[in-house]
Structure formats: structure tokens, C-alpha cells
């Protein structure tokens, strides 16, 4: 009886009748983000949009700012680091061109949000975070959400993850001044790397490197602003 009343009070009568939960406010924000921030700016890849629709971004930000999870900007995640703006995540993911059979390396796990998006798209995801506290909390969230094929390692991503190389795709989500050579070396032929490259304290260019059978081909696209790529001391 009480349950029925609650359903009525929540004005979710249709959903209750069908045995479906009513969409939450966060789901509403997520849908709006897809339309207003991604589609409106030209993100068209159906798999990328589906991944952005599937991952609960609010689970990857500190609880006290969960209501801002779908804001059109980066947000602080502690340790002086940030979770990237939704559009930048979608843009870089689309540029990466991830296919379902791919094995993907990410440098800069941060909150784990980008890794979860990659987890929606790829067969295996390997992600490295240099700050142990962030690696631990990202791994906790990814385990809770069931991303068993997303593997988190704590360490300096400069050296990549040689035991699991080569990778079909590599994405760097902290800004190096130059792309670390080991990450290029760990790219499969036919592979692609996407990274924000630029001097500390300046805007960076999204840089796309393709390893073709004839060699490396590089181009620069969108200007972005990422936290610096740091090195283990
Ligand atoms: N992809 C993240 C956002 C990245 S913020 C997300 O979805 O939330 C950039 C992260 O890169 C920070 O957490 C920072 O600690 C990490 N980082 C910086 N230099 C690194 C390095 N050399 N190796 C691994 N991680 C690094």
C-alpha cells in the first residue's frame, strides 16, 4: 500500500505501472548534456554518444558536487586534479576512433570517468594514474560499476604499460610538452594516439598521431586546457 502511494506521490504512475524506475534528475541532466553540449557541438559518433549516455558521471565526482556533474566544464576531483569537461571527453574519444575489439591505454586515470567511457567501447582498457589516492578511488568506482575489463595501475605513465603493449589506441589525459616516446613505441601498426600537447601554463593542442605502415602521421586539432603531465620523482 505504502509503495503504491509513493509511486503516485512521485507522479511516476506510468513508470510504476510498467515496473520501470522513473528517470532520475541526474539522468535528465545527462540527456540534456548529450543534446546541448555534445550533439550541438558536432559530436556525431553513435557509439561515443551511447557511451556518454551510459556512464553515470555523477559517480566520478566528489559527492558534494554531484549536482554539478553534468555542468559544461571541468570539475575538481581532489589532489589538485580535475575531471575533464564532458565535451572534451567526447571529442577526444571520437577522435580516438575506438572499435569493440581494441585494447586501449589511457595515461591519467584521474576520476576514472574517461576510462569508463573507454570501457563502454573497447575490449580491454589499461589506465595509469600517478597519484595513488586517485588511482585507488577510480579503481573502487570502476569495480562498483562492474568495469572488470578496465585495469588500473598506479605509477608514472611516461613508460606506458610495456607488458600489455602493443595497443590499438593510446589516450593521454594530462598535458605533456612532448609525447613520451615509449607511448609512441607501444602503438600497434594501424594504431592511433590522442594527447593534449603543449607547454605548461599555456593552452594545448589536441594532437593525433597515427602509426601507418609507412610511418607516423601527426596532426593538431582543438585547443584545450589540461592539468600538466607530471613525472615520478
Ligand atoms: N581522465 C581523467 C582526467 C584526467 S586529470 C578523468 O576522466 O577524470 C589528469 C590526471 O593525470 C591527473 O589525475 C594526474 O594526476 C594524472 N597524471 C599526470 N601526470 C601523470 C603521469 N605521468 N602518469 C600518470 N598519470 C598522470
Amino acid at each position: 500500500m505504502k509503495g503504491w502511494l509513493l509511486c503516485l506521490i512521485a507522479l511516476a504512475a506510468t513508470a510504476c505501472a510498467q515496473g520501470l524506475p522513473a528517470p532520475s534528475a541526474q539522468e535528465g541532466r545527462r540527456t540534456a548534456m548529450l543534446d546541448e553540449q555534445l550533439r550541438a557541438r558536432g559530436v556525431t559518433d553513435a557509439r561515443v554518444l551511447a557511451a556518454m549516455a551510459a556512464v553515470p558521471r555523477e559517480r566520478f565526482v566528489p559527492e558534494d558536487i554531484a549536482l554539478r556533474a553534468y555542468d559544461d566544464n571541468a570539475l575538481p576531483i581532489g589532489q589538485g586534479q580535475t575531471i575533464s569537461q564532458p565535451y572534451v571527453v567526447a571529442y577526444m574519444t571520437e577522435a580516438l576512433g575506438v572499435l569493440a575489439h581494441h585494447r586501449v591505454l589511457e595515461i591519467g586515470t584521474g576520476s576514472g570517468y574517461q576510462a569508463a567511457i573507454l570501457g563502454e567501447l573497447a575490449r580491454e582498457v589499461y589506465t595509469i594514474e600517478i597519484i595513488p589516492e586517485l588511482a585507488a578511488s577510480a579503481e573502487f568506482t570502476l569495480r562498483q560499476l562492474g568495469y572488470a575489463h578496465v585495469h588500473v595501475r598506479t605509477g608514472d605513465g611516461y613508460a606506458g604499460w610495456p607488458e600489455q603493449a602493443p595497443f590499438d589506441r593510446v589516450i593521454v589525459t594530462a598535458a605533456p610538452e612532448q609525447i613520451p616516446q615509449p607511448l609512441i613505441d607501444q602503438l600497434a601498426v594501424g594504431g592511433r594516439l590522442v594527447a593534449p600537447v603543449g607547454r605548461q601554463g599555456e593552452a594545448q593542442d589536441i594532437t593525433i598521431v597515427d602509426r601507418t605502415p609507412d610511418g607516423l602521421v601527426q596532426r593538431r586539432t582543438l585547443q584545450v586546457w589540461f592539468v600538466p603531465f607530471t613525472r615520478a620523482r
Side-chain angles (χ1 to χ4, degrees):
M1 184 62 192
K2 224 175 177 184
W4 278 108
L5 268 178
L6 278 176
C7 278
L8 286 172
I9 289 164
L11 293 177
T14 324
C16 285
Q18 294 170 356
L20 298 170
S24 70
Q26 291 288 30
E27 283 167 14
R29 293 187 186 100
R30 196 182 313 151
T31 307
M33 176 271 283
L34 274 136
D35 283 337
E36 293 160 17
Q37 300 176 37
L38 308 190
R39 291 193 183 93
R41 292 187 183 123
V43 177
T44 56
D45 186 309
R47 292 185 74 235
V48 172
L49 290 167
M52 298 288 295
V55 177
R57 183 171 164 93
E58 65 275 18
R59 298 285 293 274
F60 294 89
V61 303
E63 257 178 62
D64 59 332
I65 56 167
L67 288 176
R68 288 161 56 198
Y70 295 95
D71 285 6
D72 191 11
N73 45 250
L75 289 170
I77 54 170
Q79 310 289 331
Q81 307 303 319
T82 55
I83 177 174
S84 306
Q85 180 188 10
Y87 173 65
V88 171
V89 174
Y91 177 89
M92 289 179 77
T93 308
E94 188 169 55
L96 200 60
V98 183
L99 301 177
H101 67 274
H102 280 167
R103 299 170 68 257
V104 182
L105 173 66
E106 179 195 24
I107 309 302
T109 315
S111 68
Y113 177 69
Q114 172 77 69
I117 296 289
L118 296 169
E120 292 286 329
L121 297 169
R123 179 156 65 93
E124 299 290 339
V125 178
Y126 298 87
T127 181
I128 307 178
E129 170 56 51
I130 200 164
I131 299 177
E133 291 83 352
L134 290 179
S137 89
E139 178 152 36
F140 180 78
T141 309
L142 290 162
R143 293 291 84 83
Q144 273 197 329
L145 293 173
Y147 291 102
H149 61 305
V150 178
H151 313 278
V152 183
R153 172 186 268 190
T154 304
D156 182 351
Y158 185 92
W161 197 317
E163 303 89 330
Q164 295 294 341
F167 298 98
D168 303 295
R169 298 291 184 260
V170 176
I171 180 170
V172 184
T173 60
E177 296 198 354
Q178 285 178 350
I179 298 169
Q181 188 60 40
L183 302 184
I184 305 246
D185 295 343
Q186 289 171 30
L187 254 191
V189 176
R192 172 173 290 180
L193 176 148
V194 175
V197 181
R199 292 225 196 97
Q200 287 198 14
E202 292 178 11
Q204 304 100 30
D205 296 318
I206 293 291
T207 304
I208 303 175
V209 181
D210 284 311
R211 179 184 286 285
T212 74
D214 302 325
L216 300 173
V217 179
Q218 183 169 319
R219 63 202 153 95
R220 285 166 181 254
T221 63
L222 189 71
Q223 273 219 331
V224 286
W225 194 273
F226 270 81
V227 295
F229 189 99
T230 56
R231 298 299 316 278
R233 268 167 276 161

